[in-house]
C-alpha cells in the first residue's frame, strides 16, 4: 500500500479574519504550559534551507502566522515547503526560478528580508522589497545592505526594491557593524557561508537564536564558529548539504508566561523552557520579588508575593542584556510593583507606545520620550477596550487584561497570532477566561 502519510498536513490556521480577544480578568493562573519553538529562530532556519538544493527538515517549528508567511514566500519562489505534521516543516530548494521577494511578503513580515543573504550567495542575484517601504527611519535595513556590499554584492535601490547581484561568488571579508543587529548579523552569516574565503563579523549579535542558526549551518557542512562572544568567523564553502534540526525554545514566549503567573499571583510550571537564555530577565524578576526557579528544561514561577512586589529600573540591551521583546511584558508586571520604576527602551523608538493603551486600563505611566518612561505602582487595573499595535505589545495587553478586574476586549488579535502559538488555548489551560471573538467585518464599499 502506498505511504498513507499526508503530503501536506493541513494545519488549522489561526483565522485571518479580524479577531479580538475577550478576557475576563482577575483569575489566578495555575498549571503547566509547554513552551513552543522560537519564532526568531524558525524564520531564519527556513531561510537558511535555501542555501542547499537538498531537503532540510525542521521540528519544533511554532505554528504561527509568521512561519506561514515565510513558508508561502518560499513557495512563491518555487521552493518546495511541506508541512507533514504539526510543528514539522520540510524545505527543498532545488530549483528557485523566481528570485523576487515582493512587497506583499515584506509588508506582512519584516523578517522576509532575511532571504537577501542566502538567495544572493547561492543564486547570485535577488530582487527584494524594502520592508520599511519608503518610510525611512523606522526599522531600517541599511546595515544588512552594507554587509552584502562589503561581501562584494552590487546593490541598487529603486522604487522600494533592492536589486542585488553578486558578480561571480561573494567574497569573504571583515563585516564591521556600527552596533549590534540581530538580523543584520544573520543575513551576513547566510551570505558568507557560501562566499569565497574567510569572513569575520563583528560585533556579532549573541542572541541564542543566532547560535541556533549557526548550529544548523554546521550540520549543513558550513565552517562557522563563534570565536569570541561578539565575533563570528566563517570559511566559505562551495556548497552545503541538507540537514535536520529542532528549533530552540522560545525564550520570549517563556518570559511572557512567567509574567502571566507573576502578575496574577499564580503558580505555573513552564516545560521545555530555556532558562539559560533568560538570565537577565530572571534576575529582573528576582529584584521585583517574583520567585522563579530553573530546572533542566523547566521554569517554576510563583507570584505568591504579589502584594510585596518592588519597583525596579530596567534597561533593554542586546543579548545577554534584557531583551527588548520582554520589555513590554515586564512593564505590565511593574504596574503592580510598589514605587516608581524607570524604563529605558534602548533598542527601538516605538516600543513604549503601548504604555498609552495600558493607561486606559488604569496604569499610571509617564512617558518622557520614545525611549524613557516611568511606571508608578501598584495600580489596580480595570477592564477596557483596547487596540493592539504590534506583536509584543499585544501579548502584553493580554497580560494586563488577565490582571485587570472586569472584562477587556482587545482588538487586533492577528498581531499576536503572528508570533504566539495557540496563545488563547494555552492561557485557558492555566485557568484564564479568554476567548477569541470574530470582529464584525465592515461591509464592502459599493462602486
Ligand atoms: C530582531 C528580532 C526582534 C527583536 C530585535 C532585537 C527577528 C525576526 N526579530 O529584530 O524580535 O526585538 O531583534 O532583539 O529576529 N537597525 C538599523 N539598521 C539596520 C538594522 C537595524 O539601524 O539595518 C537598528 C534597528 O532600528 C534597531 C537596532 O538596529 O534600533 C537593532 O535592531 P536589530 O537587532 O537589527 O533587530 P531585528 O534583527 O530587526
Amino acid at each position: 500500500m502506498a505511504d498513507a502519510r499526508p503530503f501536506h498536513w493541513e494545519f488549522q490556521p489561526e483565522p485571518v479574519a479580524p479577531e479580538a480577544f475577550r478576557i475576563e480578568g482577575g483569575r489566578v493562573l495555575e498549571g503547566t504550559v509547554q513552551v513552543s519553538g522560537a519564532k526568531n529562530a524558525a524564520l531564519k532556519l527556513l531561510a537558511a534551507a535555501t542555501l542547499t538544493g537538498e531537503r532540510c527538515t525542521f521540528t519544533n517549528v511554532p505554528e504561527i502566522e509568521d512561519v506561514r508567511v515565510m513558508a508561502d514566500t518560499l513557495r512563491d519562489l518555487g521552493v518546495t515547503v511541506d508541512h507533514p505534521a504539526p510543528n514539522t516543516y520540510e524545505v527543498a530548494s532545488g530549483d528557485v526560478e523566481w528570485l523576487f521577494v515582493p512587497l506583499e511578503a515584506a509588508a506582512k513580515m519584516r523578517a522576509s528580508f532575511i532571504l537577501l543573504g542566502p538567495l544572493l550567495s547561492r543564486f547570485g542575484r535577488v530582487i527584494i522589497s524594502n520592508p520599511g517601504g519608503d518610510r525611512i527611519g523606522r526599522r531600517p535595513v541599511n546595515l544588512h545592505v552594507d554587509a552584502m556590499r562589503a561581501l562584494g554584492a552590487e546593490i541598487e535601490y529603486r522604487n522600494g526594491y533592492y536589486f542585488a547581484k553578486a558578480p561571480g561568488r561573494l567574497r569573504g571579508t571583515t563585516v564591521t557593524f556600527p552596533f549590534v543587529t540581530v538580523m543584520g548579523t544573520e543575513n551576513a552569516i547566510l551570505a558568507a557561508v557560501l562566499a569565497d574565503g574567510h569572513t569575520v563579523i563583528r560585533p556579532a549579535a549573541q542572541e541564542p537564536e543566532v547560535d541556533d542558526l549557526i548550529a544548523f549551518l554546521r550540520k549543513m557542512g558550513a565552517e562557522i564558529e563563534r570565536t569570541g562572544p561578539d565575533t563570528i568567523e566563517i570559511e566559505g564553502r562551495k556548497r552545503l548539504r541538507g540537514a535536520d534540526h529542532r528549533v530552540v525554545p522560545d525564550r520570549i514566549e517563556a518570559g511572557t508566561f512567567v509574567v502571566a503567573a507573576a502578575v496574577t499571583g499564580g503558580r505555573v510550571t513552564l516545560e521545555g523552557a530555556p532558562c539559560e537564555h533568560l538570565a537577565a530577565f530572571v534576575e529582573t524578576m528576582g529584584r521585583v520579588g517574583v520567585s522563579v526557579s530553573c530546572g533542566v528544561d523547566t521554569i517554576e514561577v510563583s507570584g505568591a508575593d504579589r502584594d510585596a512586589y518592588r519597583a525596579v529600573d530596567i534597561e533593554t540591551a542586546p543579548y545577554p542584556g534584557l531583551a527588548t521583546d520582554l520589555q513590554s511584558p515586564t512593564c505590565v508586571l511593574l504596574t503592580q510593583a510598589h514605587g516608581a520604576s524607570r524604563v529605558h527602551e534602548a533598542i527601538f523608538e516605538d516600543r513604549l507606545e503601548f504604555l498609552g493603551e495600558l493607561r486606559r486600563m488604569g496604569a499610571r505611566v509617564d512617558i518622557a520620550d520614545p525611549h524613557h518612561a516611568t511606571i508608578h505602582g501598584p495600580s489596580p487595573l480595570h477592564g477596557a477596550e483596547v487596540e493592539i499595535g504590534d506583536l509584543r505589545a499585544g501579548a502584553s495587553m493580554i497580560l494586563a487584561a488577565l490582571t485587570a478586574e472586569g472584562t477587556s476586549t482587545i482588538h487586533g488579535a492577528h498581531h499576536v497570532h503572528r508570533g504566539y502559538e495557540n496563545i488563547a488555548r494555552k492561557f485557558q489551560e492555566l485557568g484564564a477566561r479568554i476567548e477569541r471573538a470574530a470582529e464584525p467585518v465592515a461591509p464592502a464599499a459599493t462602486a
Side-chain angles (χ1 to χ4, degrees), residues 285-313:
M285 293 296 108
R287 284 193 289 135
V288 173
V290 180
S291 155
V292 179
S293 47
C294 292
V296 179
D297 70 346
T298 58
I299 300 179
E300 292 195 11
V301 194
S302 167
D305 295 332
R306 183 179 188 269
D307 293 338
Y309 287 162
R310 298 173 292 271
V312 300
D313 294 342

mmCIF file of all heavy atoms in Angstrom, residues 285-313:
data_model
loop_
_atom_site.group_PDB
_atom_site.id
_atom_site.type_symbol
_atom_site.label_atom_id
_atom_site.label_comp_id
_atom_site.label_asym_id
_atom_site.label_seq_id
_atom_site.Cartn_x
_atom_site.Cartn_y
_atom_site.Cartn_z
ATOM 1 N N MET A 285 13.187 39.619 37.446
ATOM 2 C CA MET A 285 12.033 39.082 38.189
ATOM 3 C C MET A 285 12.378 38.948 39.674
ATOM 4 O O MET A 285 11.575 39.269 40.547
ATOM 5 C CB MET A 285 11.620 37.705 37.634
ATOM 6 C CG MET A 285 11.047 37.706 36.238
ATOM 7 S SD MET A 285 9.493 38.615 36.087
ATOM 8 C CE MET A 285 10.032 40.037 35.179
ATOM 9 N N GLY A 286 13.600 38.485 39.942
ATOM 10 C CA GLY A 286 14.035 38.314 41.328
ATOM 11 C C GLY A 286 14.050 39.643 42.065
ATOM 12 O O GLY A 286 13.623 39.736 43.231
ATOM 13 N N ARG A 287 14.509 40.697 41.387
ATOM 14 C CA ARG A 287 14.556 42.020 42.040
ATOM 15 C C ARG A 287 13.149 42.521 42.340
ATOM 16 O O ARG A 287 12.908 43.197 43.321
ATOM 17 C CB ARG A 287 15.302 43.022 41.155
ATOM 18 C CG ARG A 287 16.822 42.828 41.184
ATOM 19 C CD ARG A 287 17.547 44.005 40.564
ATOM 20 N NE ARG A 287 17.383 44.069 39.122
ATOM 21 C CZ ARG A 287 17.098 45.165 38.443
ATOM 22 N NH1 ARG A 287 16.957 46.322 39.060
ATOM 23 N NH2 ARG A 287 16.957 45.125 37.122
ATOM 24 N N VAL A 288 12.199 42.168 41.472
ATOM 25 C CA VAL A 288 10.804 42.592 41.711
ATOM 26 C C VAL A 288 10.208 41.822 42.895
ATOM 27 O O VAL A 288 9.379 42.363 43.643
ATOM 28 C CB VAL A 288 9.949 42.365 40.429
ATOM 29 C CG1 VAL A 288 8.474 42.636 40.687
ATOM 30 C CG2 VAL A 288 10.454 43.243 39.289
ATOM 31 N N GLY A 289 10.664 40.559 43.046
ATOM 32 C CA GLY A 289 10.125 39.742 44.136
ATOM 33 C C GLY A 289 9.336 38.537 43.640
ATOM 34 O O GLY A 289 8.639 37.881 44.411
ATOM 35 N N VAL A 290 9.469 38.246 42.341
ATOM 36 C CA VAL A 290 8.828 37.060 41.770
ATOM 37 C C VAL A 290 9.762 35.879 41.995
ATOM 38 O O VAL A 290 10.960 35.987 41.750
ATOM 39 C CB VAL A 290 8.595 37.242 40.252
ATOM 40 C CG1 VAL A 290 7.939 36.009 39.657
ATOM 41 C CG2 VAL A 290 7.779 38.496 39.978
ATOM 42 N N SER A 291 9.198 34.761 42.446
ATOM 43 C CA SER A 291 10.038 33.589 42.639
ATOM 44 C C SER A 291 10.102 32.787 41.342
ATOM 45 O O SER A 291 9.075 32.338 40.834
ATOM 46 C CB SER A 291 9.465 32.752 43.785
ATOM 47 O OG SER A 291 9.852 31.425 43.646
ATOM 48 N N VAL A 292 11.296 32.639 40.788
ATOM 49 C CA VAL A 292 11.493 31.889 39.540
ATOM 50 C C VAL A 292 12.584 30.866 39.796
ATOM 51 O O VAL A 292 13.690 31.233 40.172
ATOM 52 C CB VAL A 292 11.959 32.823 38.390
ATOM 53 C CG1 VAL A 292 12.191 32.027 37.113
ATOM 54 C CG2 VAL A 292 10.947 33.932 38.134
ATOM 55 N N SER A 293 12.272 29.576 39.649
ATOM 56 C CA SER A 293 13.358 28.598 39.783
ATOM 57 C C SER A 293 13.478 27.755 38.529
ATOM 58 O O SER A 293 12.486 27.344 37.938
ATOM 59 C CB SER A 293 13.203 27.756 41.044
ATOM 60 O OG SER A 293 11.897 27.292 41.147
ATOM 61 N N CYS A 294 14.737 27.531 38.176
ATOM 62 C CA CYS A 294 15.051 26.865 36.905
ATOM 63 C C CYS A 294 15.437 25.423 37.132
ATOM 64 O O CYS A 294 16.275 25.131 37.977
ATOM 65 C CB CYS A 294 16.230 27.568 36.242
ATOM 66 S SG CYS A 294 15.821 29.217 35.682
ATOM 67 N N GLY A 295 14.827 24.507 36.361
ATOM 68 C CA GLY A 295 15.277 23.122 36.323
ATOM 69 C C GLY A 295 16.028 22.896 35.021
ATOM 70 O O GLY A 295 16.414 23.853 34.358
ATOM 71 N N VAL A 296 16.203 21.625 34.640
ATOM 72 C CA VAL A 296 16.975 21.334 33.424
ATOM 73 C C VAL A 296 16.290 21.975 32.209
ATOM 74 O O VAL A 296 16.909 22.719 31.469
ATOM 75 C CB VAL A 296 17.122 19.813 33.223
ATOM 76 C CG1 VAL A 296 17.900 19.514 31.944
ATOM 77 C CG2 VAL A 296 17.820 19.201 34.426
ATOM 78 N N ASP A 297 15.019 21.675 32.012
ATOM 79 C CA ASP A 297 14.308 22.406 30.960
ATOM 80 C C ASP A 297 12.920 22.829 31.433
ATOM 81 O O ASP A 297 11.962 22.837 30.675
ATOM 82 C CB ASP A 297 14.267 21.629 29.638
ATOM 83 C CG ASP A 297 13.369 20.414 29.708
ATOM 84 O OD1 ASP A 297 13.000 20.033 30.834
ATOM 85 O OD2 ASP A 297 13.017 19.862 28.640
ATOM 86 N N THR A 298 12.855 23.183 32.691
ATOM 87 C CA THR A 298 11.601 23.712 33.239
ATOM 88 C C THR A 298 11.877 25.010 33.992
ATOM 89 O O THR A 298 12.995 25.257 34.447
ATOM 90 C CB THR A 298 10.945 22.735 34.241
ATOM 91 O OG1 THR A 298 11.873 22.491 35.285
ATOM 92 C CG2 THR A 298 10.520 21.443 33.592
ATOM 93 N N ILE A 299 10.837 25.807 34.098
ATOM 94 C CA ILE A 299 10.911 27.009 34.930
ATOM 95 C C ILE A 299 9.670 26.990 35.812
ATOM 96 O O ILE A 299 8.553 26.793 35.313
ATOM 97 C CB ILE A 299 10.915 28.301 34.089
ATOM 98 C CG1 ILE A 299 12.117 28.332 33.131
ATOM 99 C CG2 ILE A 299 10.905 29.534 34.981
ATOM 100 C CD1 ILE A 299 12.173 29.568 32.236
ATOM 101 N N GLU A 300 9.876 27.169 37.113
ATOM 102 C CA GLU A 300 8.722 27.258 38.013
ATOM 103 C C GLU A 300 8.608 28.685 38.500
ATOM 104 O O GLU A 300 9.574 29.272 38.966
ATOM 105 C CB GLU A 300 8.890 26.303 39.197
ATOM 106 C CG GLU A 300 8.816 24.884 38.714
ATOM 107 C CD GLU A 300 8.623 23.873 39.816
ATOM 108 O OE1 GLU A 300 8.340 24.290 40.959
ATOM 109 O OE2 GLU A 300 8.763 22.693 39.511
ATOM 110 N N VAL A 301 7.404 29.220 38.396
ATOM 111 C CA VAL A 301 7.176 30.620 38.757
ATOM 112 C C VAL A 301 6.114 30.671 39.839
ATOM 113 O O VAL A 301 5.066 30.008 39.728
ATOM 114 C CB VAL A 301 6.608 31.424 37.566
ATOM 115 C CG1 VAL A 301 6.712 32.911 37.844
ATOM 116 C CG2 VAL A 301 7.257 31.049 36.270
ATOM 117 N N SER A 302 6.361 31.482 40.847
ATOM 118 C CA SER A 302 5.325 31.708 41.849
ATOM 119 C C SER A 302 5.144 33.208 42.059
ATOM 120 O O SER A 302 6.118 33.945 42.267
ATOM 121 C CB SER A 302 5.711 31.038 43.169
ATOM 122 O OG SER A 302 4.850 31.521 44.181
ATOM 123 N N GLY A 303 3.900 33.612 41.994
ATOM 124 C CA GLY A 303 3.582 35.009 42.249
ATOM 125 C C GLY A 303 2.977 35.187 43.637
ATOM 126 O O GLY A 303 2.196 36.117 43.866
ATOM 127 N N ALA A 304 3.368 34.292 44.567
ATOM 128 C CA ALA A 304 2.781 34.297 45.911
ATOM 129 C C ALA A 304 3.019 35.627 46.631
ATOM 130 O O ALA A 304 2.214 36.054 47.458
ATOM 131 C CB ALA A 304 3.352 33.138 46.738
ATOM 132 N N ASP A 305 4.124 36.291 46.311
ATOM 133 C CA ASP A 305 4.447 37.554 46.998
ATOM 134 C C ASP A 305 3.946 38.762 46.223
ATOM 135 O O ASP A 305 4.493 39.873 46.347
ATOM 136 C CB ASP A 305 5.974 37.667 47.192
ATOM 137 C CG ASP A 305 6.489 36.592 48.121
ATOM 138 O OD1 ASP A 305 5.708 36.146 48.995
ATOM 139 O OD2 ASP A 305 7.658 36.183 47.968
ATOM 140 N N ARG A 306 2.919 38.563 45.445
ATOM 141 C CA ARG A 306 2.429 39.627 44.561
ATOM 142 C C ARG A 306 2.194 40.952 45.281
ATOM 143 O O ARG A 306 2.452 42.021 44.733
ATOM 144 C CB ARG A 306 1.120 39.153 43.915
ATOM 145 C CG ARG A 306 0.521 40.107 42.910
ATOM 146 C CD ARG A 306 -0.743 39.471 42.345
ATOM 147 N NE ARG A 306 -1.280 40.245 41.232
ATOM 148 C CZ ARG A 306 -2.174 41.213 41.369
ATOM 149 N NH1 ARG A 306 -2.628 41.535 42.572
ATOM 150 N NH2 ARG A 306 -2.614 41.874 40.311
ATOM 151 N N ASP A 307 1.706 40.887 46.512
ATOM 152 C CA ASP A 307 1.392 42.135 47.209
ATOM 153 C C ASP A 307 2.634 42.894 47.662
ATOM 154 O O ASP A 307 2.530 44.030 48.126
ATOM 155 C CB ASP A 307 0.493 41.839 48.425
ATOM 156 C CG ASP A 307 -0.868 41.344 47.962
ATOM 157 O OD1 ASP A 307 -1.232 41.628 46.797
ATOM 158 O OD2 ASP A 307 -1.545 40.649 48.736
ATOM 159 N N ALA A 308 3.786 42.247 47.547
ATOM 160 C CA ALA A 308 5.019 42.907 48.028
ATOM 161 C C ALA A 308 6.000 43.189 46.893
ATOM 162 O O ALA A 308 7.179 43.458 47.144
ATOM 163 C CB ALA A 308 5.687 42.015 49.077
ATOM 164 N N TYR A 309 5.531 43.146 45.642
ATOM 165 C CA TYR A 309 6.462 43.400 44.532
ATOM 166 C C TYR A 309 7.063 44.799 44.649
ATOM 167 O O TYR A 309 6.384 45.759 45.011
ATOM 168 C CB TYR A 309 5.754 43.284 43.181
ATOM 169 C CG TYR A 309 5.400 41.868 42.764
ATOM 170 C CD1 TYR A 309 4.445 41.639 41.776
ATOM 171 C CD2 TYR A 309 6.006 40.753 43.352
ATOM 172 C CE1 TYR A 309 4.110 40.352 41.381
ATOM 173 C CE2 TYR A 309 5.680 39.462 42.963
ATOM 174 C CZ TYR A 309 4.734 39.272 41.979
ATOM 175 O OH TYR A 309 4.397 38.001 41.599
ATOM 176 N N ARG A 310 8.347 44.888 44.293
ATOM 177 C CA ARG A 310 9.078 46.156 44.397
ATOM 178 C C ARG A 310 9.320 46.757 43.009
ATOM 179 O O ARG A 310 9.591 46.021 42.043
ATOM 180 C CB ARG A 310 10.450 45.899 45.044
ATOM 181 C CG ARG A 310 10.385 45.354 46.454
ATOM 182 C CD ARG A 310 11.777 44.969 46.947
ATOM 183 N NE ARG A 310 12.329 43.819 46.240
ATOM 184 C CZ ARG A 310 12.140 42.551 46.636
ATOM 185 N NH1 ARG A 310 11.410 42.276 47.704
ATOM 186 N NH2 ARG A 310 12.694 41.548 45.957
ATOM 187 N N ALA A 311 9.273 48.083 42.929
ATOM 188 C CA ALA A 311 9.610 48.773 41.672
ATOM 189 C C ALA A 311 11.093 48.540 41.360
ATOM 190 O O ALA A 311 11.914 48.456 42.280
ATOM 191 C CB ALA A 311 9.339 50.268 41.825
ATOM 192 N N VAL A 312 11.414 48.410 40.090
ATOM 193 C CA VAL A 312 12.826 48.295 39.682
ATOM 194 C C VAL A 312 13.036 49.127 38.418
ATOM 195 O O VAL A 312 12.090 49.396 37.676
ATOM 196 C CB VAL A 312 13.247 46.836 39.382
ATOM 197 C CG1 VAL A 312 13.088 45.943 40.589
ATOM 198 C CG2 VAL A 312 12.484 46.277 38.181
ATOM 199 N N ASP A 313 14.261 49.545 38.190
ATOM 200 C CA ASP A 313 14.590 50.221 36.929
ATOM 201 C C ASP A 313 15.071 49.174 35.933
ATOM 202 O O ASP A 313 15.845 48.288 36.303
ATOM 203 C CB ASP A 313 15.690 51.265 37.160
ATOM 204 C CG ASP A 313 15.196 52.402 38.055
ATOM 205 O OD1 ASP A 313 13.965 52.545 38.201
ATOM 206 O OD2 ASP A 313 16.046 53.119 38.614
#
